[in-house]
Amino acid sequence: MKYLPLLALLILGCRESPRVDYTAEKSATYSTVAIAGPHPLATQTAEAVLRRGGNAIDAAVAMQLAMAVVYPRAGNIGGGGFLVYRPADGPAIALDYREVAPAAAHRDMYLDSAGNVTEGLSTLGHLAVGVPGTVAGIAAMHERFGSLPWAELVQPAIDLADGGYRLSEAEIERLKRYHDDFAALNEETPFNDSSRVAGTLVQQPDLAATLIRIRDEGAAGFYEGATADLIVAEMESGGGLITREDLRQYAPKWKAPITKEYKEFRLISMPPSSSGGVALSQMAEMIEPFPLSEYGFQSVRSVQVIAEAMRRAYADRAEYLGDADFYPVPVDSLLRDEYLLNRMADFSFDTAGTSAAIAAGNLPMKETFETTHISIVDSLGNAVSITTTLNGNFGSKVMVDGGGFFLNNEMDDFSAKPGVPNMFGLVGKEANAIQPGKRMLSSMTPTIVERNGELFLVLGAPGGSTIITAVLQTFLNVTEYGMDLPAAVAAPRFHHQWLPDEILYESDALSGGVLDSLKTLGYRFREVNSMAVIKAIRVLHDGRLQAAADPRNPDDDVAGY
Ligand code: DON
């Protein structure tokens, strides 16, 4: 019962979504530039920018804004995200434009008088909303690395909002599912009418007007003036916390990425406030000593090693990970080789570990101290890996009245109470407790992989807690199991997150024989319809770029030339 929200999400997926065809690979190979993303109009927007001579950051800026129009369940200006950027001629860098808790937020804000978490308060409606970071984030990446004028990059999104776009089959299904929430929280949105069919044209004049302010005034067109007034009015009408001062104070942060060597590869990924880079690196290090390619893909031994590494990384996540500006996250200790090798010392092939026995590791020393993804490589070899999110589909389901955009429900990514799972079943403690101005812990794992110092892979995914393990498995599918990229992305996956103590697996991920053997060893399993949705690019031996989208999202698309 404790884990109902995550399970409800995945099992609901089973009932309502058509079964995923994991053999339906979506990919193309290009000579010069490549893009992978969640919607054809978004990838086409990025391609047009690259054709006009823009670089990967220019394309990413235009694409994120286009996604806010044509992919409103996760593309956003009312949410936040992470960039991992590897310029062809300089060191990799990360940008954290995650939402923050409003100044009036406090650690017990979702607890009732008996100290229990009030269901729904952190996921639905105005109190669930964190101060958005996306517009400040894309303005910052453009200012530092962009080459085309800002207004030119915002314009395609304005045109899409103004002229309209046609709803896809997959979007119709989502809109129907959330219709009642939209109607309960909003008087009118362009998405309230549930009688629509695929192909219906949706125009978003309020959103176009907001985007025009952003085009003309930059980030101030969102955080100040008319847009800020609309956000604050929306908050006041629904009992939300965000003030003008919260908006004025918001600032994205440039950070050093987390890097980890794995054989001849180097993983470059997102530091806190994401747990992604740390957990991915931990899992890779724990797995490296085991000869996975000898064991074979989804063999009993491979699944055991990978699942036990996952279990341990997520146990550490729950204890130690949070916004490093508010809590002394012991990143160096968590990534130390000796610590990680020792972490697997109690692992045995003879029996399943248990999460009760594992808990978080004792660190050797104390230190002081509905999401979507886009991957882009441009003609110079600049590589962009961005994951951006409203958290749930359409976030809090609150659309800013007159502003035309959905606000996130990212506050649910905080630990509302120690040990009580959030909607992805993730637990946390002090490190991820709510504090004003703090970023909530994320699992988003935008990642770039080098091979012998050269650009090799760009990848990432939406999928809540299953993002990190999906990025890991896609990487291992290519590097250990010899798959080409489309097969590596499509291959059915499994997932362990310490608690609940069970392995989630996609239909077809594990053969009957492997499942039986693992059950005999003591592992518990739960089949789900689909988990994270990868979008990736691989640099082939001859320098061409292979882009692969994921059959798990029917609208996923690749583009390039
Ligand atoms: O930051 C996180 O980890 C979550 N808010 C991501 C949510 C997500 O991936 C939902 N998408 N399917």
Side-chain angles (χ1 to χ4, degrees), residues 31-326:
S31 59
T32 312
V33 309
I35 305 138
H39 194 284
L41 290 172
T43 50
Q44 286 160 23
T45 300
E47 183 186 331
V49 169
L50 293 171
R51 282 191 188 276
R52 282 210 311 278
N55 63 26
I57 290 287
D58 294 324
V61 167
M63 187 168 171
Q64 284 177 95
L65 291 169
M67 293 191 311
V69 180
V70 304
Y71 198 70
R73 73 194 212 218
N76 66 79
I77 52 174
F82 298 134
L83 160 75
V84 173
Y85 182 50
R86 183 183 181 277
D89 61 356
I93 190 161
L95 181 65
D96 180 334
Y97 52 104
R98 181 77 162 162
E99 301 91 327
V100 301
H106 57 94
R107 64 179 293 141
D108 296 335
M109 63 186 277
Y110 299 118
L111 305 187
D112 62 17
S113 52
N116 297 317
V117 175
T118 310
E119 209 186 314
L121 222 49
S122 65
T123 53
L124 200 61
H126 299 72
L127 267 189
V129 185
V131 183
T134 295
V135 177
I138 58 178
M141 65 181 79
H142 177 259
E143 190 186 338
R144 183 154 177 180
F145 292 111
S147 68
L148 293 183
W150 170 255
E152 270 185 41
L153 304 175
V154 185
Q155 192 60 43
I158 297 170
D159 296 342
L160 285 166
D162 216 19
Y165 77 104
R166 294 193 183 278
L167 291 171
S168 72
E169 200 71 63
E171 281 167 313
I172 291 285
E173 185 261 324
R174 298 277 165 166
L175 291 173
K176 289 208 163 107
R177 194 187 296 176
Y178 297 105
H179 168 263
D180 292 352
D181 289 338
F182 292 160
L185 288 160
N186 304 284
E187 267 180 29
E188 186 53 53
T189 79
F191 303 103
N192 276 27
D193 176 2
S194 64
S195 65
R196 294 214 170 110
V197 292
T200 305
L201 189 74
V202 180
Q203 288 168 297
Q204 302 177 74
D206 288 345
L207 179 56
T210 299
L211 289 166
I212 287 170
R213 289 191 289 275
I214 293 170
R215 177 194 67 193
D216 296 344
E217 298 159 42
F222 184 87
Y223 293 93
E224 297 171 31
T227 314
D229 287 344
L230 291 168
I231 295 172
V232 171
E234 181 64 56
M235 286 289 122
E236 284 170 358
S237 78
L241 301 181
I242 297 173
T243 61
R244 273 185 145 274
E245 190 55 17
D246 284 321
L247 293 167
R248 219 181 49 76
Q249 294 268 335
Y250 183 83
K253 293 189 175 172
W254 292 101
K255 297 182 171 177
I258 299 282
T259 59
K260 190 81 190 162
E261 315 300 322
Y262 177 96
K263 301 186 177 171
E264 74 266 41
F265 304 99
R266 180 167 207 238
L267 296 158
I268 305 169
S269 193
M270 195 66 207
S273 58
S274 181
S275 60
V278 169
L280 177 69
S281 302
Q282 286 192 305
M283 293 187 292
E285 183 72 30
M286 284 188 260
I287 288 168
E288 192 177 4
F290 297 90
L292 289 191
S293 52
E294 269 172 42
Y295 298 158
F297 176 64
Q298 311 301 49
S299 63
V300 172
R301 289 200 155 211
S302 275
V303 175
Q304 269 190 285
V305 167
I306 296 171
E308 294 294 346
M310 290 174 178
R311 184 205 304 278
R312 286 159 175 79
Y314 278 76
D316 283 356
R317 180 193 193 281
E319 180 73 31
Y320 296 118
L321 272 281
D323 182 347
D325 290 341
F326 285 76

Side-chain angles (χ1 to χ4, degrees), residues 98 370-371 389 391 410 413 424 441-444 462-464 467:
R98 181 77 162 162
E370 198 93 332
T371 310
T389 188
N391 196 20
E410 221 74 61
D413 276 346
F424 297 106
L441 183 60
S442 174
S443 301
M444 296 191 290
I467 294 172

Side-chain angles (χ1 to χ4, degrees), residues 464-487:
S465 57
T466 67
I467 294 172
I468 318 172
T469 55
V471 169
L472 174 76
Q473 286 170 89
T474 307
F475 167 71
L476 293 175
N477 288 348
V478 172
T479 58
E480 292 288 353
Y481 300 120
M483 293 184 202
D484 67 9
L485 189 65

